[in-house]
Amino acid sequence: MRHRLPHRASEVLAIVTAVLIGSVLASLCLVLLETGLRSPVPPQRLGSIDLVVGGEQSVPRAEDLDIALPEHVGVPTHLIREVANVPGVTAAAGDVSFPAAVSDGAGGFQPAPDPRRAGHGWDSLLGEIDLVGQAPRGAHDVVLDEMTAAAAGVSVGERVEVALGGEPRTMHLSGVVDRAGTTDNSGAASGVPGTILVSDDLARTLSPLAADTVDLITASTEPGSDPAVVADRVQQAVGPELVVSSGADLGSAERPAAAVTAGMLVLLVLSAGGVVVLLVGFITGGAVSVLAANRARELALLRAVGATPAQVRSLLARHASTVVLASSATGVAAGYGLAWWSQDALVGLGILVIGQEVSWSPWPALATVLLLWGVMQVAARAASWRVSTLPATTAVIETQSEPRAGGPLRTRAGAVLLVLALGTALAPLVTRTEAAIIGAASGALLAGIGVVLAAPAVVRRGAGWLAPRQRSVSGWLAVRNSGSFAVRTGGALAVLAVAVGLTVTQVFTTTTLSSVAAHEARASTIATAQVTADPVGGVPEGLVEEIARLPSVSAAVPVLRTSGVRTTSDGTQALTGAEPEQILAVGPGADEVLDLGVVDGTLTDLAGDTVAVATSLGWPHGIQVGDTLPLALADGTRVEPTVVATYRHGFGFGTVVASRDLVPAAAGPVDSVLVRGEDPGAVERDLSALVASHPGLETSDPLARAGTATQDPTVWISLGASVVLFGYLLLGVANRLVATTLRRRREWQLLESLGATHGQLWAMVAAETGLIALGATAAGLVISLVPMSLVALGFLGTPWPQGPLWVVAAIVLVVTATAAVATLVPTRHLLRARGALVLP
Amino acid sequence: MSTGPTLRAPVQQADRGPDVAVRLDSVSKVFRRGGEVRALDGVSLSVPRGAFLAVMGRSGSGKSTLLHVAAGLDVPSSGSVWIGGTEVSRLRETPRTRFRRDRVGFVFQAYNLVPSLTIEENITLPLRLAGANLDRAWVGTLVERTGLVDLLRRLPGELSGGQQQRVAIARALAPRPAVVFADEPTGALDLATGQGVLGLLREMVSDYGQTVVMVTHDPVAAASAHDTVVMADGRIREVLRAPDVEVLADQRRPPEPHTVGAHR
Ligand SMILES: Nc1ncnc2c1ncn2[C@@H]1O[C@H](COP(=O)(O)OP(=O)(O)OP(=O)(O)O)[C@@H](O)[C@H]1O
Ligand SMILES: [Mg+2]
């Protein structure tokens, strides 16, 4: 009975691969989820500090996770003395930061992840650091870490070129700190940014903070004292509004932005996790149902000889479960490996902060194995439900033919879903919000399920129409087969269609969003040039005026990017469902460099406590000119600006454009200066001259940084994830096709005994595969490109989906190739392996 | 009338005349899967045109194997098989298939209809596969004779066993093959239905000169054939010319302790 063997091997292989890859994906997601929720942020500069007092770095949100604030909330300066006076505390100091960068010894500046906050006062370290040389005392002293000093090519006592507060200066390197003592090895190995320390007096003047506020208070405790007890006393002294951190919490107190990116990781995993679980269920379920179909006759015969329905079901479940346990264990191991490997990539993308590591615990492994085991149990029982509950005799007869088409209920449900999906796809024509685009995209998922449900009936109809139009007998047989086994054909077709549809949708949503953003940015930027100074942490205030005074320049407007979340009017909590909005803080004269497509009000009024709001935010929430918009800014500052204008081009510049006066952090250097002049050539020349004399300054096309959507690292992650899921789906279909093809041995033997040649059988199988690939491509492209075209029509006025066509071509090619390989290889195997046409 | 089947050991050119429909020369078939089984052991047989030959023998005696090899569904391990003037055992897979679908009809014990095709499509499938022109009058006659006129649009699953067997016979006869082989065509049918199917085959022989080779366990069925070949242990033990039912029924008793010697 050799021919039986490949059947079983293929069944087991189908389940093993489905479970293996499913458990890799699930365990990876769970490990990353745990990382996002629990991974401690390692301290950098403050690693040897005993206690840190900081503000409450989150805004509570009703019915949801708190919103983490990316910037230091700050602590009143006068509390430094009170902390120092707490018994058990030996010293306390305030910590402030300022924009700083160190020369790379070649006319430029050393790259750093956040030059805007790279500089600090010396006292915050409380002397708990190994110093070679002198602490910075005078206004020209600076202390660097060994690596940074070496990169600048200077040693203690020499002069060093730095930029402080965006301004280049020559300082005296009074000392060098050995950072090996303050950070763990992994941090040093991954290149922790430079430490730039100056005297506290200088730090104070360079910091954009008001004098009565510091970012943090650092404190050291008496040797031998109980840190917990001292921390309690400090908490008493500073009051309940502030947060006292020590030990493992120091890192997140030092780098509040880490909490924001960790939250981003959690969101990312949760959004991907849903699809992963869905697909794992879908594909392992599919593999089990193929197994059940293959074994249906055996199961029916078991029933006939006296097995109870429950016995039959658990027989199949047990059979599948043993495979699951073994392969999910392997998959989990691979998932952990992948998580370990992705650690550096996540740091590179800015999802984890430098030095942060993936959390390891057995829970993701346990949960993954349980999930897959559960999926398998349910799928096995569901798949064998029918054959196990039928009367034994009917069961034996039924299993000789396959189910032919889905019931009318199934078809109707599919049709309803498709109509609903079309409804969501129309949304972008009505409202121009990001939610409309996302809605249209998730409509594709709905449509995918609709296709899965409706496919058998459509295949049956289509085959009925096509059959009489076939000229070759192979084509005719192919169409008749597809129609007669509509559930089998429709199943494979629908899963391929979903693979095409979801992947195209994912890619095109991203490209459409950024194309909309670029389109709006182009349409609304009337500035002719832009000046930035990213390497040194920003363009200093003084330079803005200098640029404005250039003869060719008619307007120079400083711009700062930050964020804020809408709060209740008393500011105590974020509004339900509110997410942080991007805020563009602009100086006076914004209307001279930006044309935001103002719908109501005017940008001229944008001064003091005022904001302009994009209609995509204002329209759904009923925000109008004259209303107040309570916000919690990135550093927690509560503001209640008046809305002075609403505008259309929200995708290019963010949903809120604020007066710079509203944002306290804007007191320091700005992100960029948008410049306009009558003669762009003259502006260009004047700016080039200015840039040449100011190291760190750069001039560029004003559109270079305008589109914000493309800079989001999560875009790349979700694109990568959708490629992986596409592959997983394809694998599922391939498994299914292999198993169903191998099941057709008898059918082909019969045809051959009636005189079909191998050539005719090949042609028939090829035609069937072609039909599946064609149908899948057509359905997949319809469910993805229709909504994307409507988005393009709604936002850009062109009915063409915005995205690379080669992606569509590649996806279609891959899908067709997969279908071909997965049917033709087993076909070859069957036609080769067979000897005589002995039929009973 | 026919001259009846002849048993010969040596191959004689003279026998390959136009009157011989099927001829087997020292055909052996050995199955090597899971131990060696000699299903056919040097069988020689020639079936004249227009003959209705029954093949009997105990279960496992090699009847089905004989039919498969004679019809070109399977190839012999040694010896040669001729259908008309063609040595089918020499043909490679594809030419053999082409030859078979033009010249040989086969009726399986288990009907073996294609479940996804209607009765009409099943009957004409071999013609379609051969790319042959549909002889509507002939198929019409067959459908009428087999009593399938009202069932043409149905699917095989919707037919009774006897009806399905009649479809299988119509299908085998549709391309006007030189020979029709039938493996226990009445095995699964009740007496009356079985008689109907046998009558149909007989009519084909008497009315159209069709050559039919039929395996059966049923003495009554065998009696409706001209001659009967009795098989045992992969050999032809005996040829009975126009036997009556009693003689045939004797063949079903356990064999005598001694084996029948030569097939002469
Ligand atoms: N594909 C095969 N592989 C191995 N042995 C086989 C195969 N087909 C038949 N045999 C063996 O060859 C011998 C003859 O089988 P065959 O099917 O011709 O018997 P039969 O006379 O038709 O029996 P029945 O009356 O039960 O149908 C038997 O011993 C059988 O087991
Ligand atoms: Mg037999």
Side-chain angles (χ1 to χ4, degrees), chain B:
Chain B
M1 235 357 248
S2 66
T3 51
T6 51
L7 294 172
R8 307 155 306 100
V11 180
Q12 284 166 28
Q13 287 298 112
D15 277 5
R16 207 178 298 155
D19 289 347
V20 178
V22 184
R23 195 161 64 89
L24 279 69
D25 283 338
S26 323
V27 168
S28 294
K29 179 71 185 175
V30 183
F31 291 109
R32 291 215 162 69
R33 209 173 282 167
E36 197 174 286
V37 178
R38 193 163 274 272
L40 291 180
D41 189 4
V43 172
S44 293
L45 172 74
S46 69
V47 183
R49 210 173 279 274
F52 187 1
L53 176 68
V55 180
M56 291 187 77
R58 301 215 311 149
S59 181
S61 57
K63 304 181 295 294
S64 294
T65 311
L66 176 77
L67 238 60
H68 292 147
V69 169
L73 282 170
D74 204 350
V75 284
S77 309
S78 67
S80 58
V81 177
W82 297 75
I83 295 176
T86 310
E87 186 176 355
V88 284
S89 49
R90 278 235 191 136
L91 296 177
R92 290 157 56 87
E93 184 66 39
T94 301
R96 189 153 48 83
T97 302
R98 289 188 208 286
F99 177 83
R100 193 159 49 74
R101 74 185 175 198
D102 292 340
R103 308 291 300 278
V104 181
F106 207 101
V107 180
F108 297 93
Q109 179 176 2
Y111 325 138
N112 284 330
L113 303 181
V114 180
S116 55
L117 302 181
T118 63
I119 299 312
E120 184 174 18
E121 289 167 340
N122 260 289
I123 293 174
T124 54
L125 183 58
L127 290 167
R128 276 180 190 262
L129 287 171
N133 281 335
L134 192 64
D135 182 345
R136 289 191 184 281
W138 172 239
V139 172
T141 310
L142 278 177
V143 166
E144 214 166 288
R145 288 240 160 164
T146 46
L148 296 169
V149 179
D150 297 330
L151 306 175
L152 290 178
R153 304 242 153 264
R154 293 216 208 156
L155 290 173
E158 300 161 357
L159 262 53
S160 77
Q163 289 167 331
Q164 292 193 51
Q165 190 62 289
R166 281 183 282 160
V167 176
I169 291 172
R171 181 177 66 185
L173 291 168
R176 291 178 177 274
V179 205
V180 170
F181 294 93
D183 194 352
E184 301 190 44
T186 58
L189 306 180
D190 69 74
L191 206 61
T193 318
Q195 283 301 324
V197 168
L198 277 175
L200 185 66
L201 284 174
R202 239 209 117 88
E203 279 171 29
M204 288 299 149
V205 176
S206 56
D207 298 359
Y208 300 101
Q210 177 72 56
T211 312
V212 175
V213 179
M214 172 183 74
V215 169
T216 182
H217 284 290
D218 180 4
V220 182
S224 64
H226 299 140
D227 298 317
T228 299
V229 163
V230 183
M231 293 198 66
D233 296 330
R235 301 182 189 170
I236 294 180
R237 194 180 66 180
E238 220 176 328
V239 179
L240 305 169
R241 292 177 196 279
D244 55 25
V245 175
E246 277 84 77
V247 177
L248 288 165
D250 276 352
Q251 299 306 324
R252 302 178 62 197
R253 284 204 294 271
E256 318 281 300
H258 74 274
T259 37
V260 177
H263 318 316
R264 294 180 175 266

Side-chain angles (χ1 to χ4, degrees), chain A residues 53-446:
Chain A
V53 181
E56 178 56 69
Q57 288 296 143
S58 65
V59 178
R61 177 169 48 173
E63 300 160 31
D64 209 335
L65 294 173
D66 292 355
I67 290 173
L69 295 168
E71 289 170 21
H72 285 292
V73 163
V75 183
T77 310
H78 68 84
L79 287 178
I80 300 174
R81 184 165 307 144
E82 313 210 348
V83 171
N85 287 340
V86 169
V89 171
T90 50
D95 180 30
V96 292
S97 71
F98 54 89
V102 179
S103 149
D104 60 2
F109 290 89
Q110 294 184 33
D114 191 8
R116 185 165 261 280
R117 287 172 194 83
H120 290 271
W122 169 258
D123 290 358
S124 62
L125 294 180
L126 302 168
E128 301 203 4
I129 193 161
D130 295 334
L131 172 71
V132 178
Q134 299 290 314
R137 292 282 167 248
H140 297 285
D141 289 345
V142 66
V143 166
L144 302 176
D145 64 287
E146 276 172 354
M147 258 166 58
T148 308
V154 292
S155 32
V156 176
E158 293 182 348
R159 294 180 172 283
V160 57
E161 299 299 325
V162 295
L164 303 181
E167 309 265 17
R169 290 188 195 202
T170 305
M171 302 280 281
H172 167 250
L173 185 64
S174 67
V176 165
V177 289
D178 170 22
R179 292 165 23 88
T182 59
T183 14
D184 57 317
N185 294 334
S186 69
S190 57
V192 176
T195 305
I196 304 167
L197 299 165
V198 299
S199 73
D200 266 34
D201 288 343
L202 180 56
R204 245 337 340 167
T205 57
L206 289 168
S207 164
L209 286 183
D212 62 354
T213 310
V214 289
D215 284 342
L216 300 168
I217 296 173
T218 57
S220 56
T221 56
E222 273 169 14
S225 63
D226 185 345
V229 174
V230 181
D232 273 354
R233 285 192 213 127
V234 171
Q235 185 77 68
Q236 296 284 335
V238 297
E241 311 279 276
L242 297 176
V243 178
V244 181
S245 318
S246 61
D249 299 333
L250 282 176
S252 43
E254 183 184 346
R255 290 186 280 178
V260 176
T261 55
M264 210 150 84
L265 184 62
V266 170
L267 276 184
L268 211 64
V269 170
L270 286 182
S271 68
V275 182
V276 166
V277 169
L278 201 79
L279 288 189
V280 167
F282 206 51
I283 289 170
T284 47
V288 177
S289 69
V290 167
L291 169 82
N294 284 358
R295 300 300 175 88
R297 201 174 154 74
E298 278 170 77
L299 296 179
L301 290 172
L302 276 177
R303 285 275 294 119
V305 299
T308 65
Q311 276 175 329
V312 165
R313 286 196 294 272
S314 54
L315 178 81
L316 193 74
R318 261 206 315 281
H319 179 87
S321 295
T322 45
V323 181
V324 168
L325 289 180
S327 43
S328 64
T330 319
V332 165
Y336 274 59
L338 209 60
W340 179 79
W341 178 80
S342 68
Q343 191 165 287
D344 287 349
L346 288 172
V347 171
L349 284 166
I351 299 284
L352 291 183
V353 296
I354 291 165
Q356 201 174 7
E357 289 179 17
V358 169
S359 306
W360 304 111
S361 83
W363 298 116
L366 231 88
T368 302
V369 173
L370 260 177
L371 169 78
L372 283 150
W373 184 80
V375 164
M376 193 54 77
Q377 288 284 327
V378 171
R381 281 160 207 279
S384 54
W385 186 265
R386 187 163 168 75
V387 70
S388 71
T389 48
L390 284 173
T393 48
T394 326
V396 174
I397 294 166
E398 269 232 341
T399 53
Q400 288 167 6
S401 59
E402 292 180 46
R404 284 157 183 274
L409 210 69
R410 172 179 174 161
T411 311
R412 230 170 289 152
V416 168
L417 284 182
L418 285 171
V419 170
L420 282 179
L422 185 65
T424 63
L426 291 173
L429 295 184
V430 189
T431 89
R432 292 168 52 87
T433 63
E434 185 162 342
I437 298 187
I438 305 298
S442 31
L445 192 69
L446 214 61

Side-chain angles (χ1 to χ4, degrees), chain A residues 463-488:
Chain A
W465 182 84
L466 268 175
R469 288 166 176 77
Q470 293 302 307
R471 258 182 270 127
S472 76
V473 63
S474 310
W476 177 77
L477 275 173
V479 173
R480 294 288 278 128
N481 280 337
S482 306
S484 297
F485 302 105
V487 169
R488 178 174 82 190

Side-chain angles (χ1 to χ4, degrees), chain A residues 450-819:
Chain A
V451 167
V452 168
L453 292 178
V458 174
V459 164
R460 206 174 166 67
R461 288 268 176 90
W465 182 84
L466 268 175
R469 288 166 176 77
Q470 293 302 307
R471 258 182 270 127
S472 76
V473 63
S474 310
W476 177 77
L477 275 173
V479 173
R480 294 288 278 128
N481 280 337
S482 306
S484 297
F485 302 105
V487 169
R488 178 174 82 190
T489 318
L493 188 152
V495 178
L496 281 176
V498 168
V500 171
L502 291 190
T503 314
V504 171
T505 302
Q506 183 65 252
V507 172
F508 273 60
T509 307
T510 310
T511 52
T512 303
L513 268 171
S514 65
S515 142
V516 168
H519 173 82
E520 297 203 336
R522 236 188 340 268
S524 47
T525 303
I526 48 180
T528 51
Q530 166 179 256
V531 178
T532 55
D534 292 348
V536 295
V539 182
E541 186 67 26
L543 266 178
V544 180
E545 279 152 37
E546 203 172 314
I547 294 168
R549 277 198 303 271
L550 290 173
S552 60
V553 171
S554 59
V557 177
V559 171
L560 222 121
R561 281 162 214 283
T562 177
S563 65
V565 62
R566 292 182 300 121
T567 61
T568 52
S569 53
D570 60 0
T572 49
Q573 57 175 340
L575 291 179
T576 311
E579 293 294 333
E581 311 284 347
Q582 292 194 38
I583 298 179
L584 194 73
V586 294
D591 51 341
E592 292 183 54
V593 290
L594 292 176
D595 172 12
L596 295 173
V598 171
V599 175
D600 194 10
T602 162
L603 286 186
T604 347
D605 296 339
L606 201 62
D609 277 358
T610 59
V611 288
V613 174
T615 46
S616 63
L617 176 67
W619 189 78
H621 297 103
I623 303 166
Q624 290 168 349
V625 171
D627 291 355
T628 53
L629 184 73
L631 290 171
L633 299 179
D635 61 357
T637 311
R638 304 301 202 268
V639 289
E640 281 190 49
T642 310
V643 177
V644 292
T646 57
Y647 60 89
R648 263 182 298 125
H649 298 160
F651 282 94
F653 293 96
T655 40
V656 176
V657 172
S659 155
R660 191 178 159 202
D661 310 329
L662 188 70
V663 183
V670 298
D671 283 336
S672 65
V673 182
L674 289 174
V675 180
R676 188 173 168 209
E678 288 305 313
D679 177 2
V683 171
E684 181 83 54
R685 271 192 302 281
D686 282 352
L687 288 179
S688 300
L690 185 80
V691 164
S693 62
H694 287 80
L697 221 55
E698 290 159 352
T699 172
S700 58
D701 189 285
L703 291 173
R705 291 208 327 184
T708 48
T710 44
Q711 290 156 8
D712 191 350
T714 59
V715 165
W716 294 108
I717 294 183
S718 62
L719 276 185
S722 55
V723 168
V724 170
L725 294 179
F726 177 62
Y728 187 42
L729 263 175
L730 285 189
L731 187 87
V733 188
N735 275 336
R736 193 190 270 228
L737 286 174
V738 168
T740 48
T741 306
L742 287 177
R743 198 159 69 210
R744 298 176 64 183
R745 181 177 155 273
R746 247 190 81 86
E747 175 194 335
W748 294 348
Q749 248 177 358
L750 171 55
L751 287 174
E752 218 177 337
S753 75
L754 296 175
T757 60
H758 277 196
Q760 284 174 323
L761 290 180
W762 270 109
M764 178 184 90
V765 175
E768 283 180 33
T769 310
L771 280 176
I772 288 179
L774 202 74
T777 304
L781 291 184
V782 165
I783 64 174
S784 56
L785 292 186
V786 165
M788 288 304 119
S789 306
L790 290 171
V791 166
L793 190 65
F795 283 88
L796 305 172
T798 54
W800 304 115
Q802 301 294 305
L805 281 182
W806 68 264
V807 168
V808 176
I811 288 171
V812 169
L813 202 74
V814 168
V815 161
T816 310
T818 305

